[in-house]
Amino acid sequence: MMNHANAETSRRAAAILREFLPGGEIGSVVAGNVLRGGGVTLELVNPADGLLFASFADAGASVVDAAMQAARPAQQQWWSLSAAARGRAMWEIARLVRQNAEVLAELETISAGKPIRDTRGEVAKVAEMFEYYAGWCDKLHGEVIPVPTSHLNYTRHEPVGTVVQITPWNAPIFTAGWQIAPAICAGNAVVLKPSELTPLTSLVLGVLCDRAEGMPRGLVSVLAGAGPTTGAAAVAHPDTRLVVFVGSAEAGAQIAAASARNIVPSVLELGGKSANIVFADADLARALVGAQAAIFGGAGQSCVAGSRLLVHRSIHADFVERLAKAAARIPTGLPTDPATQIGPINNRRQLDKIDGMVRAAVTAGARIAAGGACPEALRDTGGFFYGPTIIDEVGADAAIAREEVFGPVLAVLPFETEEEAIALANATPFGLAGAVWTNDVGRAHRVAAAVRAGTFWVNGYKTINVASPFGGFGRSGFGRSSGREALMTYTQTKSVWVETAANPGVAFGYVG
Ligand code: NAD
């Protein structure tokens, strides 16, 4: 059933979009144009009130093809520039992001439901991502290899060509910047397909890429469309040379299979069920705040959320009681309010999934120590709110202890020994992140080494930075984004052999 339109939010979103898209009409951003889709109508709902505020037509295969056609010459032009010129153009993108930061944050808050204090921070991070990789453009070079023959042998890190990037709804512009910046730094063109639930800020970022001085039009296209139609057409396109996917394991498996059919490599950044381990010797006041930040930031809609709290049995009861009291005090409310720390869930389906998993945990014998429903004061908003929830007395085999909720729901499991904590931390198929809180330095390093996860924090949680590699172990995916490592994801290495001998022989077969 269609929701009634919310006139004020629609007006504000349309006013922002008009600054970037002709007439404010939502369509795919391709080579400086906005292309209207040919598919079914997709609706955008404001998570804070549950009301429709905009709609657009699914892009479909012909718009995907237009983006691919634009990408090829743009990529050739881009790669023919000097590395320093590419860096300058990327600085320009960063400048435009900073210049438009406030409207980008506002648009993200309307469409993703994220608190404005978070979206302001995330937009600033996007600018940093382009600045960081701008600096890498003229530092990405190969090496000379001391081969035993008379050759000069050197490597070149060349772009792969056109990269398809597919992103989810939980941190739309942050994830778009996180992926676009290293891809173009390495000399590639990008065709990005953001989630059909939250495409707006990614479309605006595409416009800013086109507007930046020195950027070839068509180097970065952004598709407004759904996964199984527009996304699948981009993955299967013959010009696609690499697919980078951020999202659920289910969609990731389909996309990796479709990429393989196209003889194209894929990078998967999937979900997690990360363990936040608190030992009795930790600074418990800090661990208490850290445990809240780990799970309740972004209303738990974060791939690295610390959704399992493993706490030493000697402090378990007291720690959970203090945590429950603190959770009830976290400002939860409208995402446009600068004081709000927990906003709504992004969409109705996700809200229902979260509530269903909490109900199932209770049926299985767990105890709700905090939350477990929409907060009383927010019931009449129509928004997709869910209070910060702590579930105690969870069995290690229970679904709530093993499966990703992607919401503000913390499952608590006590442990007795370091070995048991490590075993519990590793008792999921995921391996995205984790943390340990302890003042024992040896234990900190032992646990950091033993937990299977792509990112691990000691006495902290959730710090990530564009300079540091990020990615998953196990079912959390493969390949690395950010840092220098991402540049290897986005390049292919060529080995060049130059004969330097005065009178070389030409041998048949392999030499060297
Ligand atoms: P999702 O997998 O449903 O969708 C992600 C994207 O894939 C969307 O753009 C969607 O349109 C597209 N898609 C879906 N099916 C497709 C198909 N067959 N072909 C091409 N494209 C397709 O995920 P979601 O619900 O948007 O996001 C939540 C999930 O994302 C969670 O599991 C979360 O953990 C994960 N996530 C992971 C990271 C990370 O970096 N590891 C970051 C954020 C979110």
Side-chain angles (χ1 to χ4, degrees):
M1 196 181 67
M2 198 166 112
N3 297 300
H4 296 293
N6 172 342
E8 184 43 38
T9 311
S10 305
R11 249 197 312 274
R12 188 60 198 137
I16 296 173
L17 288 175
R18 267 197 304 277
E19 289 179 36
F20 302 97
L21 310 175
E25 195 186 349
I26 301 168
S28 300
V29 173
V30 176
N33 301 307
V34 175
L35 304 185
R36 185 195 287 240
V40 299
T41 300
L42 300 167
E43 296 179 339
L44 298 180
V45 170
N46 179 354
D49 58 19
L51 298 178
L52 176 76
F53 72 91
S55 62
F56 62 100
D58 188 7
S62 63
V63 173
V64 170
D65 197 51
M68 292 292 176
Q69 298 297 338
R72 200 193 289 217
Q75 191 273 329
Q76 284 164 359
Q77 187 189 338
W78 182 236
W79 188 234
S80 72
L81 296 177
S82 72
R86 287 196 295 275
R88 282 194 294 275
M90 291 190 68
W91 271 103
E92 266 303 292
I93 301 174
R95 192 185 64 77
L96 291 176
V97 169
R98 289 197 188 281
Q99 198 177 65
N100 293 283
E102 192 53 30
V103 288
L104 280 167
E106 199 185 336
L107 191 61
E108 190 84 313
T109 288
I110 291 173
S111 63
K114 291 198 98 162
I116 189 77
R117 57 191 289 161
D118 292 354
T119 56
R120 283 182 179 138
E122 289 178 13
V123 170
K125 288 277 169 213
V126 172
E128 280 176 27
M129 292 164 193
F130 284 97
E131 287 157 357
Y132 172 82
Y133 280 109
W136 264 114
C137 286
D138 58 4
K139 293 160 197 75
L140 175 63
H141 51 70
E143 52 191 4
V144 174
I145 299 166
V147 290
T149 63
S150 51
H151 296 86
L152 167 68
N153 177 231
Y154 62 92
T155 56
R156 290 166 52 83
H157 296 298
E158 298 189 354
V160 297
T162 300
V163 180
V164 166
Q165 300 176 337
I166 298 181
T167 55
W169 43 257
N170 61 320
I173 193 168
F174 181 90
T175 313
W178 187 250
Q179 297 302 340
I180 293 172
I184 64 174
C185 168
N188 300 287
V190 169
V191 175
L192 172 83
K193 199 217 68 73
S195 169
E196 56 274 38
L197 298 171
T198 53
L200 300 184
T201 49
S202 301
L203 293 170
V204 172
L205 184 59
V207 170
L208 297 181
C209 288
D210 277 332
R211 285 185 187 171
E213 199 183 329
M215 281 283 292
R217 292 262 168 108
L219 191 76
V220 175
S221 290
V222 182
L223 304 170
T229 47
T230 301
V235 171
H237 196 280
D239 285 358
T240 298
R241 302 277 26 104
L242 168 69
V243 175
V244 175
F245 171 78
V246 184
S248 65
E250 297 69 33
Q254 287 179 29
I255 285 165
S259 306
R261 280 195 293 276
N262 202 13
I263 320 288
V264 161
S266 54
V267 169
L268 301 184
E269 289 206 356
L270 310 177
K273 189 73 185 178
S274 301
N276 193 16
I277 308 169
V278 181
F279 283 91
D281 66 9
D283 177 337
L284 294 179
R286 288 186 59 222
L288 196 75
V289 179
Q292 296 169 65
I295 182 61
F296 299 133
Q301 302 163 103
S302 160
C303 52
V304 295
S307 52
R308 287 185 301 151
L309 177 70
L310 312 186
V311 56
H312 193 266
R313 196 175 289 283
S314 64
I315 56 167
H316 166 232
D318 183 52
F319 197 82
V320 171
E321 194 186 324
R322 288 165 68 190
L323 200 55
K325 280 194 188 132
R329 287 196 297 268
I330 302 174
T332 304
L334 293 178
T336 43
D337 181 344
T340 293
Q341 291 196 353
I342 300 183
I345 303 306
N346 174 266
N347 56 81
R348 160 79 56 197
R349 218 175 106 200
Q350 184 63 19
L351 177 70
D352 292 344
K353 179 186 166 196
I354 294 166
D355 194 50
M357 288 184 79
V358 170
R359 303 286 127 233
V362 173
T363 307
R367 176 181 77 87
I368 294 186
C374 175
E376 189 73 42
L378 295 165
R379 293 225 171 113
D380 294 337
T381 59
F384 309 138
F385 293 96
Y386 205 81
T389 299
I390 298 168
I391 306 194
D392 198 11
E393 291 157 34
V394 171
D397 294 334
I400 202 80
R402 297 175 52 81
E403 293 167 18
E404 185 181 48
V405 178
F406 218 57
V409 179
L410 181 65
V412 184
L413 295 103
F415 67 85
E416 300 275 2
T417 63
E418 185 178 312
E419 292 69 30
E420 190 189 355
I422 291 166
L424 277 172
N426 287 335
T428 81
F430 295 109
L432 194 60
V436 65
W437 297 81
T438 177
N439 278 329
D440 177 335
V441 69
R443 166 173 282 161
H445 289 289
R446 282 195 302 277
V447 176
V451 173
R452 284 195 304 272
T455 298
F456 199 81
W457 297 282
V458 175
N459 294 331
Y461 208 97
K462 249 188 177 176
T463 41
I464 58 171
N465 186 271
V466 64
S468 185
F470 180 86
F473 284 20
R475 276 182 74 84
S476 292
F478 44 78
R480 292 292 175 270
S481 297
S482 66
R484 192 171 50 184
E485 265 193 65
L487 295 174
M488 295 302 105
T489 298
Y490 284 110
T491 51
Q492 46 197 349
T493 305
K494 180 182 281 176
S495 173
V496 179
W497 294 79
V498 182
E499 180 57 84
T500 64
N503 293 301
V506 178
F508 278 48
Y510 301 119
V511 290

